[in-house]
Each structure stands twice: as C-alpha cells, then as structure tokens.
C-alpha cells in the first residue's frame, strides 16, 4: 500500500458517482420496491381557499384495487402538524399545518385525501371517485394587499396575515449608525421597489417516498436532502419513537433547497403505512411537484440607499414583505432573515436597517431555494449600485470599488456585525474585466448607441459575497433556529487497509463521494480508490444535519478531517508500540509513521491490520482505530466574486440574448476544480433563469397557471450561453482547509448581473427597472414607456397547458 | 401521471380505421404519433374511451409527388418531412416550419397530419399549410373528401373533421423555386410560439411576383396576412418595401392576451416578424 | 393486450393495459429503471430511449404502440463492461451532477451524433433542446458530446441506430 505522491486536494478527479449514473444502475426512490408494496395517490384541492364542507370517499373505496382511502379527519390524530423549525420571533404567528387538510384548504394543491391501492394507476383512477364540497373563501394573493387592514385573512384564527416582523438595526445593535439620520443627511437617495418573483426549485427527480413498516424499524426511503432531520421530525410530528425509524436517502436527483423539507406526503406515507401495516410508496408527477412542493423567493423589497454625491454610500434601509404562502414549512420564516446580513454585501455601509414582515397568502408555501434569502439581498444591493452609478454618471465597477472592503482591510466587521475573514475583490474584478474585455465592450456599446442599432448592447455587473457554511450553532441559536449547525463524520479503518468514511452530509449531486475521498486520501495517505464514502442512511450515518446552504465542505468535510485526526492519534500510539519507540519520535506523512531520522516506518494500514488482530496492543488501548467527530464552525464563510454579463437586447421585440458571461469566483481553496466549475455553471443557469425565464404565476383565483414544464420555463441548452469562468483564491481562515463553499455562489451572483445588463442596454430609453423575469414583452413595453411589470400576476399563461388541451382531432 | 383507461385498436387500413372510429362513437379519438395527445391523456385533460391508432396503416405514411402537388401522408413524421428532398424543393416553407417543431425526439415520433389535425393555434404547421393553399384530404364512412386549409381550421383545437373521419393526407401545391422562411418567436426554445410568421415568396428579376404569408397564434386559427401579400406583389425585393408591406401584418387580427403577450404586443410582433420572415425568404 | 418488445437485446412478451406508457413498461414490467420519468408533458426528456434506432420520449409512447419494436435504453449501451463513448465522455467531462437527466441526455446525444457526427456547439445545443438539466448549466454536456464526437469518428455510425 503506497501513498499517493501528488496531493489529492486540488486535483481534477473525475467523479466516483458517475459509474452508476451513466449506466442507469441508480437507486432513485421510485426505482425501489418491496414485497406487497401499495401505492398512494393524493387528491389535491383545486381551489385556493375554502372550507371543506364534506368529503365522500365511499365510491373511491369500492374502486378496483383500492385498499383504503383516508381523509384529513381520518388521520387527524396521527398526522400532527408539519414542523416549522425556525420561529424567527417570540410572537411569531403559526397556523396548524395538517398534512391532509381537515376542515379548510389554504392553497390550491393542498392535499385533502389519499388513496391507497395495489397499483399506481388504480390509485389515480380512484381519485376521480372522491367527492369534495368546498365552500369558497376569499383568496389572498397580493403581498401588499395582504398586510392591509381590510384584507381577508388566510387563517382567521390568527387575526392577521402577518406572521412575524423581524428587525435588524445597526444603531440598536451597536454595529453601525442610524439609517434615518443617514437618509436625512443624504446628498443622493436611490429609492426603489423590487419584486423577487416566486420561483419553483424544480429539481429533476420528482419527490418520492417509500415507507416499509414491516421490520423492527420502520424504514423510510425518501428523495430528500435531509434524512437526519427528516427522521427526527417524522418522529416528533407523528409520535413514532425515533429509534424505531430508519431514514434512507438513496440516490437523490437534485434538491436546490426544494428537498430541504418535511413534506405532507412523507408524513402521510408514514402514518398510512403504520396504520395498514403494509409498505406504501408515493411518487409525484411533475405537475404535482410544481404545484405542491415548496416554492422559493417571492418578496417585495422596498429599498432606500443614501449616498454622498462623491459616490460614497452612507446608509441602506430595507423593508421587505416576504410571502410565506399558506403555511410555515420547515425553515420558511428564516429564509428572508438569512438575507438580512447580506444587503450590505461587500460595501462599507456605516448605517443599516432591515425590517421584514413575513406574510401569509393562499398560495403554495415557500421555503429554501438555492441561496435562500441571499440571492434576494444580493439582487437588491447590486441593482441599487448600478442605479446609483447611473444617477451619478459613474462607471458601475469604479463606483463599487470606491465602496467595497479593500483586500488589506480584512478581517472586516460589517455593519451587521459579521466578520468577513478574507477576500480580494480587486483581484477578482480585475481578472473578470480582463476576461470580459470590459473596455472594448463599453466602446462598442457607445458606438451602437450612437448608431441607433436596433439591437442594443448592455453590460451588467455583480460583485457579490455571501455567508455560507451554515452555520455556527451559537449564531443559529441567536436567530432562534431550532437546531444547531454542526456536522458529524466517522472514519472506519478496515483490516485490509481500505477506509470507510461516514458523513452526515447527504449529497444529491454535489459529488461528496469524490471530494471526501480526495480529502481523506491526503489526510490518511491512502489511495483515492480505497476510500468509500457512506451517507444518506441513518443506520450507517447515524448523525448529521445534512446538505444545504453550501455547508457540506465547509462544515461536513471538517468533521471528516477531525475524525481523521483522531484515527491518526489512536494509530500513533499503536505504531509507537509496534516500532518500540516513543510517540513523540514518530512523524506521520503520506500514510506512514516514520521514526524521525530513520528509515523505520509502519504504514497506517499496517496499524489497522494489527489493531484488527489485537494480539499485541499497548495496555489499555482499545482494538479499534475507528473514530468519529462532530464539527461546529466558528464563523460563516464568505465566498465572493465578480460577474460580468453582456446582453444583446432586440429593441424591436424586447428579446434578450446573453452574449457573454464572465465570472471570477473566490471560493477559497478548491478540493476539486471540475466539481467547483460544475457547481458554478449550474448556479449560473438557475440565476440566469430567474432573471429571464422563470416565474410561478397564479391567476386571480389563486390557481397556479405555470403548473407544467410547458409553462414554467426552465431553460434548455439552447437558451443558456457559454460561461467563461475563472477563480481567484484567498483561503478562508474559518476552517482548516481554507474552503468557502460554492453551491449557491453562481445563483446568488448572476441574477443581478443579467438584469443590470438588460437595464443598461435600454436605459437611454428612460428605463431604470424591468421586473423579473425580463420577458420580451416586459422589455419591449418598458422601452416604449409602459410599465415595467407587463403581463404580471393575473395573466393567463400562454401556450403550454392551454396548448395541449384538446377536444378534437388526431394527435 | 397515468392516463385513464381506454380501449385501443390499431387497424391496418383506412377503411378499418374509419369503421372503428364510427363504432366507438363520440368518445373515440385518433392517435398517430401521440406527441400532443399522450401528454393530454396523462394529465387526464381528456379521457377517450377508445383510441384508434392509425400508425400501423402503411398507406398513410410517406410523401408522394402528384405532379403539381405533394401529398404528404398524415402519419409521415416530422423527421421524415424535414429530410425529404421533394419537400425541400417544392415546399421549402414546410421544412422550415417543421425544423422548429418541438424537439428532435418529438419530431421522430410526431406526425405531420397529427399536428395539423390537432389544430393548436400555437402549433407551427398550421400557418404554412394555410399559406401554401394546401388541401386536406379526409376520409370517412362516406369515402374521401377534400377541404381547403382555409375551411379546415374552425376554432381552437377544432377542425372540419367529422367524428368518423380521419385526416389521411395534406396536398400541398408545389411552390418550386420559392424562397421561404418560418420566423418563430418564443421565450425559450422549447416553448410554444408567442407569434410566428410563415412566409414564401417568389422573386422575379428583383421584383416580388407572388407572396404567401401565414400567421401563427394570432387568432384561434391560423391567419393569412392577405394585406401583406397584396402589398408585396409588384414591389422590389428591398428591405424598405418589405417593411412597408409588413406594416399591414396585424390588420384585422384580434389576438388573445396572455402572460407572454397582450394584444398590442402580439400585433406588434406580427409586424416585426413578418418583415423578418419575408426578408429572409427573399434573401434580401 | 399482449405485446412483444426487444429491449437492450432481450425479447419480452407481456400483457399490458393499452394505457401503459412505454416508460412504465420499461421500468415496472421489465425492470429497466435506468430510464426515468421527469415530467408529464414531454418537456424534460429524461425518459429518452431509442425506438427502432431513433430517440423518442418513452413517456409519450404507449407500450402497445411499440409491439414488435426494438428499444435501446441507457442500460443497453455498455458492451462487456466498456462504456459507450458517449457515456465515457459524460464521465470524462463532468457532464452530470445529480445524474437524473443523464440517461435521457446520453440517449439523445447518441442520436444527435448519428445525424451529425461533427456538431458545432450550436448544433449540440439545438440537438439537446428537448432535454432539461437543472444541475450543470449544460456547458459540460455540450463539451462531452463534442468530445465523444471526436472520439467516435471515423465510423461513428456503427455505434448507433441499429444497436
């Protein structure tokens, strides 16, 4: 067994995960089956807000293959209330959240009954035989109207549509000045209201859950990001003893926050399987997913930026309305609060105030979606910086530089009290400008503007940072989050020299198996191929807080390293015993303990074998090298970057085409550059899609009109540009690898870069905002002096569902 | 999702198919490639009791040269239309439009006749069929009949097909030597056309001798932009003349409004896209 | 109804309901779970297989419609443990993350290379317009297809079409 010579960390290792994924040997939850499996289908409310006056399921019970039908009333005792783990204020108002509605539905798509049948098709057939009478209530759709005194209430028993009001004020916190004073004294004020449209995470693998209650432990397979949290929450919600539950997240096909949830369907599947004593499975259709899986974003942002005429920013005031939808799901209330500390971004604001009202509406609940709060914040500030530059006639990058934290000012404590450990905005920006050809494109823009070209060039900038690596447990505690932010890992040294790494980070596409193997190969000096990473099963990886918030590497991999250190510590004592020397005489490198100044050495793997035999161990030493560790970070990490976007806007049609996209990200030390690059690409795709394509639209009755992939427009390869990416590197000081996290960076940074570019292209027509997504009609309307939000809420979606609805003819 | 249950029959002749349709009654539906119908069935937006699959009737598939016209069999796939040399030579507009239909997989499976009979106003083949003055060949219990494209499209998803009839083919007069272009405008590549314009033009000595312009999704049925056509004839094939003629594109239309386009924007797009389509078709 | 279908070289005869979708027939009856279902409207392309040598979306085909046909799925591509060049290229170019869209992407990529053995970036992107990916932003997928193209030529066609 020889150690790898070249360090694994930093190497562009191809992924271990791919072998099964490119050949179809996958274990998606929906692929799994067990003997006697029954299938679930959910009846969902077609109306957004109504009292359920009656449900008749008798006819459905008699349909072929049907084993049982349950309504909310049937399982009211067992289903409990779906958990919300983040009460952001002490007086937060939270409604009961039954998995199956009992007497009232509060959004279109809410489950009202479940059919259990022998076959999938039979379960669906029986849905049509269930008869529900709804007594409709007024819908609550518009955020601003919802908080007005005369608004109808989503939950009348709460007495208000306002769930919570959360405030951070730098003057009160002692971290900065008084923003009202800054505004009063401002030489320049930029006041804007931005709309963060509602998005749908739209992971490619539809959610699926299989519950088998026939063993000693009830096993729950679920397409989830959070097997560990799910186990605990299912136990608490349904009263199932935690030790009687095993949760497995097998291959999981994407999440992006959308599978960071304890879903009604998971709860119902557990309750129903337990009640029947039989295994059940539910797999959603795409339309079910778009309708009922949680949505993301959806804020109205009222913003006031104060500055001096020389361009120095002096204050920022943020007033948010954040749409919770009909219920508070797992971390819904905390999502906008995650943005609270990011509006000030990379800039040296002396005064800052953030106030957010979380609002109930009769829509699908919202919760985490890639970036969760931080894209919203970054969008707001990066749009404002461009607006300030336009107001002052300054170059937007130069204006940013005037205000950002310089590389020699780190560590820097922000107006929110966060300590940014490292960064170099100048370096990333210089590299991005060079790759982009910034000056040349500006020259071309001037030329085309003067010429009156019908296709106008626009250039958008976004210099972002984010707080990720969620999170120091004490900080989460101070924000009233219901859990910690640690992560757990274990390392098992097998007698043959192979290594099993157990991680609480549950991957669903991020490549943990590969990256963790690289890290452990370096640390223990074993070949990359000899490391197996186990995750996503509460039996094999019993502790963990799972994967979200760009936390896996910054927190999860640190736990792995800590466990590895313990392995080495244990092995050192035994190695010293084996080589009859003092522990202090040994040095460990490249997988070997070497007696200093000699050639005498013992490999770690030899120690593992000796431990297995246990024939000759030092007194009092247990015969195991296996070790576990739990890591709690001291601080967040703060990746940053500069993104530059050039768009061609066809002023005759309003169509936006991205011509060039350059981003230079600093995510700290990189374990695997190709995985990092892939994360950036994917993040960019989702951020661009928010800027240009995606929006969940409800009509006046609260019906989701973007309920299929024909209407909810996820861009294809044709619609997205080639990305030019590069990195700069300032190692994080908050963890021993120096890593910062990359999962959310692209999404957070790219949206404002694109919208800034679109607005820049048409600013000379008098346009200073276009609501997202910047659809052709919105852009064209804005150019022609109309509103910036053309075709918004209440419009019927065109094409799509309407276009496949048919009543005649061959197809 | 899974469709509601239905009976299925796959006749091997047109007569059998027509009889099967008649026997099955009101709730029967014809399936060819199924690329529009099967998603509808899966969503349970329709629940026919019987599907009559015309995909196993050999005589319905393929393209026949009839001298002054091409007869495109109803179950000829989009992929086959795209690659057929006679379509390229005599009905270039159909190829241009078919190239933009859905995506490669759908074009492998979806059929020309199916898309026409489905009569989705956002579908890309209706306007070219109308613009090229095609005839639709129908076959029912009483035998065959032909219907002009202008009379075939009745309303949203509604055609002149009777319950017992199937569309067996589309007869497209040859437009040999005509320039053609299909200008499609959608938010993403996969999305349905917000508006699209089908243009075919015959230029003689730098002058536009004949022009055919059809509009997609400007009404519940495809629309012929006659005012544009007549404004073009006799004009020099110049950008200016084309733009002037295209200004008439939205005349007489009252397209519906939806989230992607209100009426005024659709009409504006019709004018811009018409100008672009004709420009491309003439090679200006 | 009774249908006979050859899938990845093995012939299966089964009773199916007329409403059975090809993708469910492959997954639930034949056990080819490598082919997955991602949507209801034939937009996502995750279920792409080859039907008599051409790519189709198996969620938009009835099992009864393919009686007598030959189907190739992602599970039928590797030969004696050696990956198909397109599978290998997806691995080599990090063209997948969660991997859910990957079977459909690979099947469509093979089809596109059969039609156009040397596609430029534009052609690759258009050839994949019926396949959605939520993880990769497509860039590495495009790279993988072009990489596979370079490794497949000359004589690429024997690998596709009649497999």
């Amino acid at each position: 067994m020889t150690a790898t010579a070249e360090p694994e960390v930093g190497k562009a290792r191809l992924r271990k995960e791919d072998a099964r994924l490119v050949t179809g040997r996958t274990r998606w939850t929906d692929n799994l089956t067990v003997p006697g499996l029954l299938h679930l289908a959910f009846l969902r409310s077609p109306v957004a807000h109504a009292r359920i006056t009656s449900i008749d399921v008798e006819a459905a019970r008699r349909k072929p293959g049907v084993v049982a039908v349950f309504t909310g009333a049937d399982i009211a005792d067992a289903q409990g209330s779906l958990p919300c783990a983040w009460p952001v204020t002490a007086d937060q108002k939270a409604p009961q959240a039954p998995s199956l509605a009992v007497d009232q539905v509060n959004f279109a798509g809410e489950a009202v009954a479940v059919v259990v049948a022998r076959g999938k098709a039979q379960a669906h057939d029986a849905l049509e035989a269930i008869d529900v009478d709804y007594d409709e209530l007024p819908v609550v759709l518009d955020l601003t109207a919802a908080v007005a005194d005369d608004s109808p209430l989503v939950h009348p028993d709460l007495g208000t549509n306002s769930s919570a009001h959360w405030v951070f004020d730098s003057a009160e916190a002692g971290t900065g000045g008084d923003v009202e004073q800054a505004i009063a004294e401002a030489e320049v004020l930029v006041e804007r209201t931005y709309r963060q449209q509602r998005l749908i995470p739209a992971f490619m693998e539809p959610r699926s859950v299989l519950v088998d209650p026939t063993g000693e432990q009830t096993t729950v397979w679920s397409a989830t990001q959070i097997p560990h949290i799910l186990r605990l929450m299912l136990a608490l919600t349904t009263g199932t003893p935690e030790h009687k539950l095993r949760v497995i997240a097998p291959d999981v096909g994407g999440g992006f926050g959308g599978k960071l949830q304890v879903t009604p369907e998971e709860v119902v599947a557990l309750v129903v399987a337990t009640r029947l004593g039989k295994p059940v499975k539910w797999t959603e259709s795409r339309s079910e997913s778009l309708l009922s899986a949680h949505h993301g974003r959806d804020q109205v942002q009222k913003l006031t930026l104060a500055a001096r005429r020389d361009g120095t920013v002096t204050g920022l005031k943020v007033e948010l309305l954040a749409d919770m939808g009909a219920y508070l799901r797992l971390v819904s209330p905390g999502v906008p609060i995650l943005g609270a500390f990011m509006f000030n971004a990379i800039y040296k604001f002396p005064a800052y105030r953030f106030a957010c009202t979380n609002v109930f509406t009769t829509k699908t609940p919202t919760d985490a979606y890639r970036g969760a709060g931080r894209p919203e914040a970054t969008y707001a500030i990066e749009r404002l910086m461009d607006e300030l530059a336009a107001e002052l006639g300054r170059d937007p990058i130069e204006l940013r530089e005037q205000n950002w934290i310089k590389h020699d000012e780190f560590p820097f404590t922000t107006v929110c009290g966060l300590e940014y450990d490292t960064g170099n905005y100048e370096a990333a920006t210089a590299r991005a400008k060079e790759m982009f050809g910034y000056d040349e494109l500006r020259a071309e823009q001037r030329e085309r503007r003067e010429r009156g070209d019908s296709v106008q060039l626009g250039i958008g900038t976004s210099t972002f940072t984010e707080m990720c690596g969620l999170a120091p447990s004490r900080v989460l505690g101070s924000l009233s989050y219901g859990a910690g932010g640690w992560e757990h890992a274990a390392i098992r040294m097998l007698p043959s020299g192979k290594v099993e790494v157990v991680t609480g980070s549950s991957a669903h596409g991020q490549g943990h198996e590969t990256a963790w193997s690289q890290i452990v190969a370096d640390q223990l000096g074993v070949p990359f191929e000899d490391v197996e990473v186990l995750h996503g099963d509460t039996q094999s990886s019993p502790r963990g807080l799972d994967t979200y918030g760009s936390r896996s590497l910054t927190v999860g991999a640190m736990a792995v390293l800590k466990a590895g250190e313990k392995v080495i510590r244990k092995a050192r004592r035994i190695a010293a015993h084996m080589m009859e020397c003092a522990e202090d005489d040994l040095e460990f490198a490249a997988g070997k303990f070497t007696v200093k100044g000699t050639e005498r050495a013992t490999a770690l793997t030899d120690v593992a074998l000796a431990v297995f035999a246990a024939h000759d161990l030092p007194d009092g030493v247990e015969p195991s090298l296996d070790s576990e560790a739990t890591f709690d970070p001291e601080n967040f990490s703060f990746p940053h970057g500069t993104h530059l976007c050039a768009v061609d806007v066809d002023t005759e049609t309003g169509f936006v085409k991205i011509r060039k996209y350059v981003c230079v990200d600093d995510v700290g030390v990189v374990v695997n550059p190709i995985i990092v690059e892939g994360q950036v690409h994917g993040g960019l795709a989702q951020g661009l899609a928010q800027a240009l394509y995606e929006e969940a639209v409800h009509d006046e009755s609260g019906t989701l009109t973007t309920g299929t992939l024909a209407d909810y427009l996820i861009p294809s390869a044709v619609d997205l540009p080639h990305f030019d990416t590069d990195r700069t590197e300032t190692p994080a000081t908050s963890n021993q690898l120096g890593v910062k996290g990359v999962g959310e960076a692209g999404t957070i940074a790219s949206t404002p870069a694109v919208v800034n570019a679109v607005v820049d292209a048409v600013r000379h027509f008098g346009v200073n905002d276009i609501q997202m997504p910047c659809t052709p009609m919105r852009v064209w309307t804005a150019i022609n002096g109309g509103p910036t939000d053309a075709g918004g809420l209440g419009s019927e979606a065109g094409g799509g569902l309407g276009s496949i609805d048919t009543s005649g003819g061959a197809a | 999702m899974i469709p509601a249950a239905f009976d299925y029959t796959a006749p091997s002749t047109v007569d059998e198919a027509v009889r099967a349709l008649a026997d099955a009654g009101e709730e029967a539906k014809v399936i060819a490639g199924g690329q529009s119908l099967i998603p509808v069935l899966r969503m349970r937006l329709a629940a026919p009791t019987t599907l009559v699959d015309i995909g196993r009737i050999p005589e319905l598939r393929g393209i026949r040269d009839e001298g002054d016209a091409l007869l495109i069999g109803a179950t000829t796939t989009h992929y086959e239309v795209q690659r057929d040399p006679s379509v390229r030579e005599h009905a270039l507009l159909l190829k241009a439009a078919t190239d933009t239909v859905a995506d490669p997989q759908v074009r492998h499976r979806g059929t020309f006749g199916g898309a026409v009979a489905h009569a989705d106003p956002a579908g890309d083949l209706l306007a070219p069929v109308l613009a090229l003055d095609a005839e639709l060949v129908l076959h029912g219990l009483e035998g065959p009949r032909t219907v002009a494209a202008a009379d075939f499209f009745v309303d949203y998803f509604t055609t002149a097909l009777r319950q017992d009839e199937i569309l067996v083919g589309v007869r497209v007069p040859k437009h040999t030597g005509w320039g053609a272009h299909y200008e499609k405008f959608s938010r993403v590549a996969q999305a349905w056309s917000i508006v699209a314009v089908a243009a075919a033009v015959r230029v003689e000595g730098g002058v536009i001798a004949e022009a055919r312009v059809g509009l997609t999704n400007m009404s519940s049925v495809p629309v012929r932009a006659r005012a544009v056509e007549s404004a073009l004839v006799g004009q020099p094939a110049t950008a200016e003349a084309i733009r002037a003629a295209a200004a008439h594109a939205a005349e007489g239309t009252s397209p519906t409004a939806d989230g992607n386009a209100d009426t005024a924007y659709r009409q504006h797009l019709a004018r811009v896209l018409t100008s672009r389509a004709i420009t491309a078709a003439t090679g200006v | 109804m009774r249908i006979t279908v050859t899938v990845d070289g093995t012939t299966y005869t089964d009773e199916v309901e007329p409403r059975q979708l090809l993708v469910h027939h492959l997954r639930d009856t034949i056990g080819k779970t490598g082919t997955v279902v991602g949507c209801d409207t034939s937009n996502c392309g995750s279920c792409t297989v080859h039907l008599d040598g051409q790519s189709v979306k198996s969620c938009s085909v009835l099992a009864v419609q393919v009686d007598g046909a030959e189907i190739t799925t992602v599970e039928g591509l590797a030969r004696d443990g050696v990956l198909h060049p397109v599978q290998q290229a997806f691995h080599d170019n990090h063209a997948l993350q969660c991997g859910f869209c990957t079977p459909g992407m690979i099947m469509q990529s093979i089809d596109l290379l059969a039609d156009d053995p040397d596609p430029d970036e534009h052609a690759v992107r258009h050839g994949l317009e019926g396949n959605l990916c939520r993880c990769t932003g497509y860039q590495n997928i495009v790279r993988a297809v072009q990489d596979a193209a370079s490794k497949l030529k000359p004589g690429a066609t024997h690998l596709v079409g009649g497999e």
Side-chain angles (χ1 to χ4, degrees), chain A residues 42 44 79 81-83 97-100 111 203 206-211 220-226 229-231 233-234 237-238 257-271 282 284 289 292-294 329-330 365 367:
Chain A
F42 285 86
R44 298 183 183 279
Q79 70 178 345
S81 181
L82 286 162
S99 289
L100 286 184
F203 33 77
R207 296 172 305 162
S208 181
V209 57
L210 191 166
V211 180
V220 178
W221 287 266
S222 185
T224 180
Q225 288 176 234
I226 52 163
I229 295 172
L230 180 60
R231 181 196 196 195
M233 289 300 174
L234 284 176
T237 304
T238 65
K259 290 174 181 169
L260 167 47
Q261 194 55 270
V262 177
T263 68
E265 295 83 2
E266 287 164 334
V267 171
V268 171
L270 175 59
V271 167
W282 169 75
E284 69 184 351
S289 186
S292 65
H294 73 246
R329 292 298 196 227
L330 191 60
D367 208 317

